[in-house]
């Protein structure tokens, strides 16, 4: 399934189309696809990487993640598998043939472990709110209320298809759950640190040679808030470095605003991955 964008090349064509023609409940898949794959593909991917690292700050969750060894011993594969499964649902529709296959594969993976419902809920909430928070810090335009609500309804439906119970009934209630859960459960453990370092080093390895990665680590830490850094056992950056890093990311905003919109969606399912350079089958994603 693909959702066609408006024909206009205006930088705000996607936003204007969503505002004029789409409903955040009934059309949540289309809105999420257009917003993510046309207007904010790079930003959403970075935000979801931060969401992954944020989950590592919950000591209760990190024990299981460390015990399986997937994120520590097969970090690249676990990252690629997660991205591809989520992208199959987003880019094709969770009710398409490929979307249903990806959802089925994800549920098969989760059934191997006993995971408390509130940990599922917290992870789901990061998929909703980390892209919103990233946008508030670095977005080239603000997300509209329709886009925010559509994101909530998209992940609420995916959560229901995962048999997650007690999903809060509104965007605001889910955000309160997210904030309260972190306040109660974001605590340091050594497993947190190991998972965060493994994932951070993987992300840095894609863009920096070995000698520059310690500097890259300091830059990466500057993008995380102090409570999360403390929970991960990572050093807090100097305030000046944090301002420099955030300013550098915001410097792209005028350039992005001046560009015409994307003419084709950025589809992660169509890109080569390091784990599957020759393509993949959905049934092969995840742990054996």
């Amino acid at each position: 399934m693909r959702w066609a964008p408006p024909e206009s090349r205006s930088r705000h064509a996607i936003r204007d189309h969503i505002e004029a023609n789409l409903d955040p409940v009934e059309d949540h898949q289309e809105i999420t696809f257009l917003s993510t794959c046309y207007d904010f593909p790079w930003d959403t991917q970075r935000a979801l990487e931060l969401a992954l690292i944020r989950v590592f700050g919950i000591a209760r969750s990190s024990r299981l993640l460390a015990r399986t060894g997937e994120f520590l011993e097969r970090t690249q594969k676990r990252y690629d598998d997660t991205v591809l499964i989520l992208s199959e649902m987003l880019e094709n529709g969770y009710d398409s043939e490929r979307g249903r296959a990806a959802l089925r594969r994800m549920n098969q993976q989760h059934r191997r472990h006993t995971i408390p419902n509130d940990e599922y809920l917290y992870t789901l909430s990061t998929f909703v709110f980390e892209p919103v928070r990233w946008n508030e810090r670095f977005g080239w335009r603000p997300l509209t209320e329709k886009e925010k609500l559509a994101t909530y309804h998209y992940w609420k439906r995916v959560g229901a298809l995962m048999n997650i119970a007690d999903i809060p009934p509104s965007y605001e209630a889910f955000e309160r759950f997210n904030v309260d859960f972190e306040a109660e459960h974001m605590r340091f453990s050594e497993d947190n640190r190991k998972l965060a370092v493994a994932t951070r080093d993987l992300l840095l390895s894609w863009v920096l040679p070995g000698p520059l990665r310690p500097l890259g680590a300091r830059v990466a830490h500057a993008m995380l808030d102090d409570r999360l850094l403390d929970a991960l056992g990572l050093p807090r950056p100097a305030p000046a470095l944090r301002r420099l890093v955030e300013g550098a990311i915001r410097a792209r905003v005028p350039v992005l605003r001046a560009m015409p919109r994307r003419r084709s969606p950025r589809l992660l399912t169509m890109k080569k991955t390091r784990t599957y350079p020759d393509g993949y089958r959905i049934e092969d994603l995840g742990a054996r």
Side-chain angles (χ1 to χ4, degrees), residues 2 8 15-16 32 46 55 59 87 91 96 99 103 131-132 143 175-176 192 196-197 201 214 236 266 276 287:
R2 291 286 187 270
S8 170
R15 180 201 65 186
D16 295 345
T32 304
R46 301 290 82 77
V55 170
S87 297
E91 295 172 12
S96 69
L103 182 68
V132 173
L143 288 169
E175 186 172 26
R176 286 195 299 272
N192 295 4
V197 168
D201 291 350
R236 296 185 179 187
R266 181 172 183 259
Y276 308 103

Side-chain angles (χ1 to χ4, degrees), residues 234-246:
L234 300 176
R236 296 185 179 187
L241 177 60
R242 192 185 294 279
R243 290 192 297 270
L244 178 64
V245 170
E246 292 181 347

Side-chain angles (χ1 to χ4, degrees), residues 52 71 77-87 127:
L52 175 64
F71 276 108
K77 183 179 187 306
R78 181 58 188 260
Y79 176 90
D80 288 339
D81 290 347
T82 301
V83 167
L84 290 171
I85 285 175
L86 297 180
S87 297
F127 295 160

Side-chain angles (χ1 to χ4, degrees), residues 29-152:
Q29 290 197 84
E30 181 173 0
I31 293 173
T32 304
F33 173 81
L34 292 174
S35 181
T36 298
C37 297
Y38 281 91
D39 274 5
F40 300 107
W42 186 86
D43 299 83
T44 302
Q45 189 171 3
R46 301 290 82 77
L48 292 180
E49 288 166 355
L50 291 183
L52 175 64
I53 292 174
R54 201 157 199 90
V55 170
F56 296 156
I58 307 300
R60 279 174 35 187
S61 304
S62 67
R63 284 195 297 269
L64 172 61
L65 294 172
R67 190 168 69 245
T68 67
E70 292 295 311
F71 276 108
L72 297 178
E73 300 167 16
R74 294 170 289 278
T75 312
Q76 180 71 65
K77 183 179 187 306
R78 181 58 188 260
Y79 176 90
D80 288 339
D81 290 347
T82 301
V83 167
L84 290 171
I85 285 175
L86 297 180
S87 297
E88 285 285 355
M89 291 188 288
L90 172 67
E91 295 172 12
N92 297 299
Y94 53 66
D95 48 2
S96 69
E97 182 178 352
R98 292 190 67 86
R100 290 194 302 271
L103 182 68
R104 186 163 54 249
R105 186 61 180 152
M106 181 166 62
N107 286 338
Q108 288 170 348
Q109 296 293 298
H110 289 157
R111 280 198 294 269
R112 299 159 61 121
H113 309 286
T114 301
I115 302 173
N117 189 73
D118 63 347
E119 292 183 17
Y120 276 124
L121 277 174
Y122 174 68
T123 301
L124 195 71
S125 75
T126 66
F127 295 160
V128 176
F129 298 109
E130 288 309 304
V132 173
R133 291 163 183 162
W134 176 281
N135 177 269
E136 290 171 349
R137 296 168 70 191
F138 305 123
W140 65 268
R141 68 162 175 85
L143 288 169
T144 68
E145 288 304 307
K146 281 190 176 183
E147 287 172 307
K148 295 176 185 178
L149 287 174
T151 299
Y152 162 74

